[in-house]
């Protein structure tokens, strides 16, 4: 099957066409600055990146341009739209309504709309992508894949906040978790890479990118994760604070003379390693270089990040009463050997030993712990688009 994978944001859209039989990417790219001016990036497998500046007042023109590029007689990958067998859409928040990927129909769209209050920036944009694709390809089956779905197996003790329980019942305030497609993909991939039985193992998955989260996975099912009601919770991130004393919101608001909304904005956009490094950078490459050159703030920012990851790993090893394997994935997890080594230096008590030679490898599945290490530690590149493609095919086959 040829599957079009769409990840639709408020002013951008990423896409890939994947042949689900070979799992090869046939073409990929993105639309940027939708509603502002508009730019299409398109790349056929093995071909050059083509960049076209063109007006994209709405997502409809953007998706129209993607479909035209895919059918271009010279550089396209399909003769006409009938060759697209299915579309898989990333959807950020499925609330408690979705514990797995689901076929797009009117009831599903309504349920996603009902979850929009929990992700006001993301779900409406995801829905625009779904609605435009339905309009342009009315006969093509579509599937929604939720960032929250994988975490729906968490037990109450992990997902309930210790606040009056009626706020959970009335307003659905609970831990949901995010990056679920990645956590699910990497947990399966690591089990198969290490030859472990997915149904009989304990894994910790560290998705460390600009947004970062960790999950505890027992027998393939998530039992805890570090993000919460929103993706602001948990680890220190590129610009997000992660966990802090909730009283800080009122305290800082009073000091600055701003409301809770503005403090939350600071916690989302000006905090994390960016805030700790006095606004130097949220990018770990810049911070690593600055720390090497003796910048104390950059060094401290990186150490806070590593310390939080290590203490969360410790918490999850306790939650699962042990751990068999730990995965590092996403931009930092896959590429930043120094940060991985720094995190692992906290984990000696688990009997973990890092192999420095193996830790240098990039871009492929690799075990970076020694063969004597009591817990296997791996780098497992994530592939959310492929995970969405696999889910899309599985859901469509199950609904035939
Ligand atoms: P992601 O959100 O998964 O795309 O990850 C983006 C982050 O990965 C960037 O902000 C960088 O901090 C980090 N990153 C990417 N490549 C490298 C690298 N070679 N070394 C260190 N950090 C990297």
């Amino acid at each position: 099957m040829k599957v079009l994978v769409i990840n639709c944001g408020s002013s951008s859209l990423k896409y890939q066409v994947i042949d689900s039989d070979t799992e090869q990417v046939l073409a990929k790219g993105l639309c940027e600055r939708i509603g502002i001016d508009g730019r299409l990036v398109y790349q056929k497998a093995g071909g050059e990146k083509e960049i076209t500046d063109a007006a994209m007042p709405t997502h409809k023109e953007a998706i129209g341009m993607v479909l035209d590029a895919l059918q271009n007689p010279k550089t396209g990958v399909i003769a006409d739209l009938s060759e697209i067998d299915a579309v898989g859409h990333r959807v950020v928040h499925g609330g408690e309504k979705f514990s797995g990927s689901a076929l797009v129909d009117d009831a599903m769209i309504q349920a996603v709309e009902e979850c929009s209050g929990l992700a006001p920036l993301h779900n409406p944009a995801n829905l625009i992508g779904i609605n435009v694709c339905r309009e342009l390809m009315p006969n093509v089956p579509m599937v929604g894949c939720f960032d929250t779905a994988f975490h729906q197996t968490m037990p109450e003790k992990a997902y309930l906040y210790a606040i009056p329980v009626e706020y959970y019942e009335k307003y659905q305030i609970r831990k949901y978790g995010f990056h679920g497609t990645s956590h699910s993909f990497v947990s399966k991939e690591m089990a198969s890479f290490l030859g472990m039985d997915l149904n009989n193992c304990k894994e910790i998955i560290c998705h460390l990118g600009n947004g970062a989260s960790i999950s505890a996975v027992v027998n393939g099912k998530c039992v805890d994760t570090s993000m919460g009601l929103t993706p602001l919770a948990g680890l220190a991130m590129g610009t997000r604070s992660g966990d802090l004393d909730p009283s800080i919101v009122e305290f800082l608001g009073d000091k600055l003379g701003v409301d809770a909304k503005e403090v939350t904005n600071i916690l989302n956009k000006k905090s994390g390693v960016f805030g700790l490094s006095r606004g130097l950078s949220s990018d770990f490459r810049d911070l690593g270089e600055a720390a090497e050159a003796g910048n104390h703030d950059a060094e401290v920012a990186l150490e806070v990040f590593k310390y939080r990851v290590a203490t969360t790993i410790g918490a999850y090893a306790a939650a699962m009463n042990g751990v068999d394997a730990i995965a590092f994935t996403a931009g930092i997890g896959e590429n930043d050997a120094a940060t991985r080594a720094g995190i692992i230096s906290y984990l000696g008590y688990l009997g973990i030993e890092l192999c420095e030679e193996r830790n240098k490898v990039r871009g492929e599945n690799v075990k970076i712990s020694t063969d004597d290490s009591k817990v296997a530690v791996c780098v497992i590149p994530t592939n959310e688009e492929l995970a969405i493609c696999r889910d899309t095919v599985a859901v469509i086959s199950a609904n035939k």
Side-chain angles (χ1 to χ4, degrees), residues 230-278:
T230 73
L232 178 56
L235 303 173
M237 305 179 218
T239 62
R240 287 175 238 167
S241 64
D243 286 349
L244 41 70
D245 180 342
S247 304
I248 291 172
V249 175
E250 185 188 346
F251 188 87
L252 184 59
D254 285 350
K255 293 280 178 209
L256 299 179
V258 299
D259 61 10
K261 208 169 180 174
E262 183 49 31
V263 176
T264 306
N265 193 39
I266 294 170
L267 299 179
N268 265 306
K269 301 206 175 126
K270 296 184 181 160
S271 301
V273 292
F274 176 81
L276 283 168
S277 66
R278 291 179 214 276

Side-chain angles (χ1 to χ4, degrees), residues 96-97 114 118 156 159-176 229:
E96 289 186 329
K97 294 176 199 290
E114 285 164 13
L118 294 166
E156 269 177 335
Y159 73 67
L160 281 181
Y161 291 120
I163 58 175
V165 72
E166 54 267 31
Y167 299 143
Y168 163 58
E169 291 160 353
K170 270 194 201 159
Y171 308 123
Q172 294 83 49
I173 296 175
R174 52 159 282 179
K175 181 188 274 197
Y176 290 98
L229 174 76

Side-chain angles (χ1 to χ4, degrees), residues 207-211 282-285 329-333 335-337 362:
H207 177 110
L208 309 179
N210 201 28
S282 60
D283 192 303
F284 275 52
R285 286 163 287 202
T329 196
I332 299 159
N335 297 302
D336 190 341
R362 276 170 67 174

Side-chain angles (χ1 to χ4, degrees), residues 63-351:
I63 295 177
M65 283 185 67
V66 170
L67 298 179
D68 285 347
L70 294 172
Q71 297 172 85
N72 182 301
K74 275 197 195 134
T75 52
V77 291
I78 51 171
D80 59 67
L81 285 185
S82 66
E83 283 187 42
I84 303 257
D85 298 297
V87 183
H89 293 271
R90 176 189 181 212
V91 183
V92 166
H93 220 305
E96 289 186 329
K97 294 176 199 290
F98 297 96
S99 55
S101 299
L103 210 56
V104 172
D105 57 19
D106 292 343
M108 188 262 202
I109 287 178
Q110 197 190 331
V112 173
E113 271 167 8
E114 285 164 13
C115 297
S116 284
L118 294 166
L121 295 180
H122 294 100
N123 272 25
N126 303 152
L127 278 170
I128 290 173
I130 291 177
N131 286 326
V132 171
C133 284
R134 281 183 109 195
E135 202 181 319
L136 298 176
M137 293 174 275
N139 301 317
V140 179
M142 301 196 190
V143 171
C145 304
F146 299 88
D147 280 19
T148 49
F150 181 63
H151 305 301
Q152 277 296 301
T153 47
M154 280 188 288
E156 269 177 335
K157 66 181 175 186
Y159 73 67
L160 281 181
Y161 291 120
I163 58 175
V165 72
E166 54 267 31
Y167 299 143
Y168 163 58
E169 291 160 353
K170 270 194 201 159
Y171 308 123
Q172 294 83 49
I173 296 175
R174 52 159 282 179
K175 181 188 274 197
Y176 290 98
F178 296 87
H179 297 136
T181 309
S182 176
H183 287 285
S184 165
F185 178 86
V186 172
S187 57
K188 290 191 188 96
E189 193 74 9
M190 179 161 69
S192 119
F193 174 64
L194 291 174
M196 296 188 306
D197 178 1
L198 183 66
N199 298 312
N200 186 23
C201 67
K202 297 172 181 174
E203 298 172 280
I204 294 177
I205 312 300
C206 306
H207 177 110
L208 309 179
N210 201 28
S213 68
I214 304 194
S215 63
V217 181
V218 176
N219 303 340
K221 297 204 161 41
C222 176
V223 295
D224 206 347
T225 192
S226 59
M227 283 180 169
L229 174 76
T230 73
L232 178 56
L235 303 173
M237 305 179 218
T239 62
R240 287 175 238 167
S241 64
D243 286 349
L244 41 70
D245 180 342
S247 304
I248 291 172
V249 175
E250 185 188 346
F251 188 87
L252 184 59
D254 285 350
K255 293 280 178 209
L256 299 179
V258 299
D259 61 10
K261 208 169 180 174
E262 183 49 31
V263 176
T264 306
N265 193 39
I266 294 170
L267 299 179
N268 265 306
K269 301 206 175 126
K270 296 184 181 160
S271 301
V273 292
F274 176 81
L276 283 168
S277 66
R278 291 179 214 276
L280 179 70
S281 181
S282 60
D283 192 303
F284 275 52
R285 286 163 287 202
D286 301 336
L287 294 171
E289 274 173 31
E292 283 267 297
N295 182 316
H296 179 68
D297 295 324
E299 197 183 325
V300 171
L302 291 172
E303 208 52 45
V304 169
F305 178 85
K306 290 180 258 190
Y307 176 77
R308 289 266 195 111
V309 173
T311 53
T312 307
I313 290 174
Y316 289 171
M320 299 191 293
N321 191 22
V323 53
D324 299 313
I326 298 173
F328 287 101
T329 196
I332 299 159
E334 290 170 31
N335 297 302
D336 190 341
T339 296
R340 287 195 302 261
I343 294 165
I344 291 168
S345 71
Y346 284 99
L347 304 176
Y349 71 97
L350 287 172

